[in-house]
Amino acid sequence: MGADPYAITRFDVTAKASDLQRRFSDLPAGENRAERFAVAGRVMLLRGQGNIAFADLWDESGKIQLFFKSDVVGKEQLKAFQRYVDRGDLLGVQGRIARTKLGELSLLVERYEVLSKALAPLPDKWHGLVDVERRYRQRYLDLAVNPEVRDVFLMRSRIIAEMRRFLDARNFVEVETPVLINVAGGATARPFQTHHNALGLDLNLRIATELYLKRLVVGGIERVYEIGRIFRNEGIDTKHNPEFTMMELYAAYWSYEEMAQFTEELLAHLVAMVTDGGDALAYGERTLDFRRPFKRVEYLAALREYGGFARADLLDAERAVRIAESLGIPKPPSHAHALDKIFEAVVEPHLLDPTFVMDIPVLLSPLAKRRADDPELTERFELFIANMEACNAFSELNDPDDQRGRFEEQARDRDAGDVEAPPPDWDFIAALEVGMPPTAGIGIGIDRLVMYLTNQQSIRDVILFPLQRPIIER
């Protein structure tokens, strides 16, 4: 065309493809409108010859057909389009809305500009981009040629924005806490480690935001939350990515009962948003029922129901390890690890619809308040959906002496070889000694939540750039 395809710095877009499709849905075949619009996007399909040409233009909202006629756009411009514009090029066009005789809503092009040239060919329209590893590695290409993938990530953004609106309307305050920390606590996981050169200081990437958020409750911020990235040095599968997004929230003067009600309200609200007011989600071949109240089971009762295991055996360290080994689980490094793996193997496969697993043993809950009527259990629940943990919540332990003892127990597990047991955060004990009000907290994995709400079976399909091994150039 004799022009630099990268020279244009701006284009005035006046309409999105989906807006035009919706606004002119009842335009009869063969008619047009005088109003002019400007749209921009990527050319995905080209056809036609002679004095007419057609192209499918995709923007982030959807598709609109472009209709080129030589007596409208000009003969030379049409020839240039047919000769130089390729599939994948980015185009800005202006024209009038028309519906072809075959019934396709189109933009009758009066003027167009090439906004950027695609030098690399896109995958062909018939086979698309189906190689899973390539899709994750070249997400830009995946988004460009698979509109349904783009829709998932646009919905993810809507979901997180709606969560913020929901929380802000209930007087929760959003904050930011450190990512680089000295002691990686608040969860049972191996941290990623790094080094600060200027200070000569070894640091960890956070594995949770919990202990810093509770420090803020001590300081008088009574309702606080953070949506942020969490880093855990663990394996990768359809449910886990080492870098993921978590929403943690704390409310002073609530117990885990109020938090359970809040959780039901939040999830039902999000389900209604993505289903236009419904209370059921299609997930794979199943339908998940989000009608309130959600089902509840007690932790030890569920292990008795589905595995036949007695409470006394599960709460005894040696017997719990033997049970784990009888299920084919490699010898666990600690009592807590054994119990967690037993539950994962025996109970989780039965938890399809949203189910609160209540009153989890204290040995699994180093930061949760004990039940007053049963000190071996805690006021803690985990919500399971489609056989996955969706969130974890409890009445927060605010007794500094009890917390100190549990940190010491975790330290013993760590010394015995449990590499996921965190070291004690003694400064957090100092914060509790200032006084923390009765408080309930919850952590919700955003990625798994988006999986449910967008019907995706792998966490890597809701994370834009999941971790992968690099390609070694030779």
Side-chain angles (χ1 to χ4, degrees):
M1 294 176 69
D4 182 353
Y6 308 109
I8 294 175
T9 57
R10 66 185 305 274
F11 183 81
D12 289 321
V13 175
T14 63
K16 293 289 188 181
S18 63
D19 296 335
L20 296 177
Q21 296 283 4
R22 187 165 47 248
R23 180 174 172 183
F24 296 101
S25 61
D26 58 353
L27 183 66
E31 293 192 11
N32 62 70
R33 293 288 182 265
E35 188 176 358
R36 287 171 170 78
F37 299 94
V39 299
R42 191 179 296 275
V43 175
M44 296 300 291
L45 186 63
L46 294 159
R47 55 204 182 277
Q49 58 185 356
N51 292 324
I52 63 170
F54 297 94
D56 288 349
L57 187 85
W58 284 83
D59 63 18
E60 72 173 9
S61 72
K63 182 193 79 169
I64 187 75
Q65 178 174 270
L66 305 181
F67 184 13
F68 295 83
K69 296 176 67 177
S70 61
D71 60 344
V72 176
V73 72
K75 289 185 178 181
E76 292 304 315
Q77 284 291 91
L78 178 57
K79 287 182 181 178
F81 175 82
Q82 292 171 327
R83 182 174 181 180
Y84 296 111
V85 174
D86 299 306
R87 182 170 181 265
D89 290 354
L90 290 155
L91 226 60
V93 298
Q94 295 174 328
R96 293 178 286 119
I97 282 292
R99 192 175 293 278
T100 66
K101 292 180 180 179
L102 294 178
E104 183 76 17
L105 189 71
S106 307
L107 193 72
L108 185 59
V109 178
E110 298 173 341
R111 177 174 169 268
Y112 71 89
E113 294 178 292
V114 176
L115 305 179
S116 186
K117 186 72 178 172
L119 300 181
L122 299 181
D124 70 79
K125 69 169 232 178
W126 304 113
H127 299 96
L129 182 63
V130 295
D131 181 85
V132 172
E133 291 303 313
R134 189 181 178 200
R135 285 183 50 227
Y136 299 147
R137 198 175 299 280
Q138 295 180 296
R139 184 68 86 184
Y140 49 89
L141 201 57
D142 189 25
L143 295 168
V145 302
N146 292 324
E148 68 279 3
V149 172
R150 189 165 62 244
D151 288 343
V152 167
F153 288 103
L154 293 175
M155 178 57 74
R156 177 188 172 112
S157 181
R158 283 186 58 203
I159 290 166
I160 294 174
E162 188 60 31
M163 289 181 72
R164 282 193 165 98
R165 281 190 288 270
F166 186 91
L167 298 176
D168 294 346
R170 288 154 180 79
N171 299 317
F172 284 91
V173 177
E174 184 173 13
V175 299
E176 294 175 308
T177 61
V179 173
L180 291 173
I181 55 179
N182 291 300
V183 179
T188 302
R190 296 179 68 174
F192 288 96
Q193 297 177 326
T194 187
H195 183 79
H196 191 289
N197 292 331
L199 295 179
L201 185 64
D202 290 331
L203 294 168
N204 301 289
L205 299 185
R206 66 187 182 188
I207 59 173
T209 58
E210 176 169 349
L211 300 186
Y212 281 97
L213 291 176
K214 289 198 285 195
R215 285 172 168 93
L216 298 180
V217 177
V218 171
I221 304 178
E222 295 177 354
R223 294 191 177 191
V224 63
Y225 76 96
E226 181 172 7
I227 297 175
R229 297 298 259 185
I230 301 298
F231 308 88
R232 296 180 182 175
N233 199 343
E234 59 189 15
I236 299 173
D237 57 29
T238 57
K239 299 179 182 180
H240 299 88
N241 192 67
E243 179 182 2
F244 60 97
T245 303
M246 178 79 77
M247 189 279 285
E248 286 203 45
L249 171 148
Y250 295 86
Y253 312 113
W254 283 11
S255 74
Y256 76 146
E257 283 293 345
E258 285 78 20
M259 190 59 76
Q261 295 168 22
F262 172 85
T263 304
E264 288 184 349
E265 185 182 358
L266 172 61
L267 295 190
H269 176 78
L270 294 175
V271 170
M273 184 192 82
V274 302
T275 61
D276 294 325
D279 54 19
L281 279 179
Y283 190 69
E285 298 179 353
R286 302 168 291 189
T287 299
L288 304 176
D289 184 357
F290 280 83
R291 287 177 297 179
R292 302 171 63 190
F294 295 169
K295 181 181 176 182
R296 294 188 178 200
V297 298
E298 293 183 357
Y299 187 93
L300 293 174
L303 281 166
R304 183 176 62 250
E305 178 181 355
Y306 295 114
F309 303 123
R311 169 176 171 150
D313 293 332
L314 294 166
L315 296 184
D316 179 85
E318 291 185 4
R319 281 178 275 174
V321 168
R322 286 200 296 270
I323 291 171
E325 291 178 319
S326 74
L327 295 171
I329 298 168
K331 185 174 182 178
S334 67
H335 187 187
H337 194 89
L339 198 53
D340 183 55
K341 293 302 179 182
I342 294 168
F343 187 89
E344 183 179 306
V346 172
V347 180
E348 287 185 21
H350 300 277
L351 305 178
L352 179 58
D353 286 329
T355 303
F356 288 120
V357 177
M358 309 293 293
D359 304 333
I360 298 172
V362 68
L363 67 96
L364 288 168
S365 312
L367 297 163
K369 183 169 286 191
R370 297 176 191 266
R371 282 185 56 120
D373 60 343
D374 191 340
E376 289 185 312
L377 306 181
T378 62
E379 292 189 1
R380 176 186 172 197
F381 69 78
E382 290 181 327
L383 177 65
F384 283 83
I385 305 172
N387 316 116
M388 289 190 293
E389 179 195 335
C391 65
N392 177 34
F394 39 86
S395 301
E396 302 295 333
L397 178 59
N398 59 350
D399 179 342
D401 293 332
D402 193 350
Q403 185 66 80
R404 183 181 291 104
R406 297 199 213 176
F407 277 174
E408 290 169 349
E409 180 64 31
Q410 281 190 310
R412 286 190 287 271
D413 287 343
R414 186 178 180 85
D415 291 341
D418 188 348
V419 295
E420 293 187 346
D425 185 342
W426 299 120
D427 180 72
F428 179 67
I429 299 295
L432 290 183
E433 288 175 339
V434 173
M436 186 174 79
T439 298
I442 189 169
I444 299 177
I446 297 295
D447 309 292
R448 290 186 183 179
L449 180 62
V450 174
M451 285 174 63
Y452 304 133
L453 295 171
T454 60
N455 195 12
Q456 301 300 308
Q457 306 303 303
S458 172
I459 196 169
R460 298 205 292 173
D461 288 325
V462 298
I463 295 175
L464 278 168
F465 300 101
L467 184 65
Q468 291 186 286
R469 294 183 186 274
I471 295 176
I472 300 175
E473 301 289 347
R474 295 186 181 274

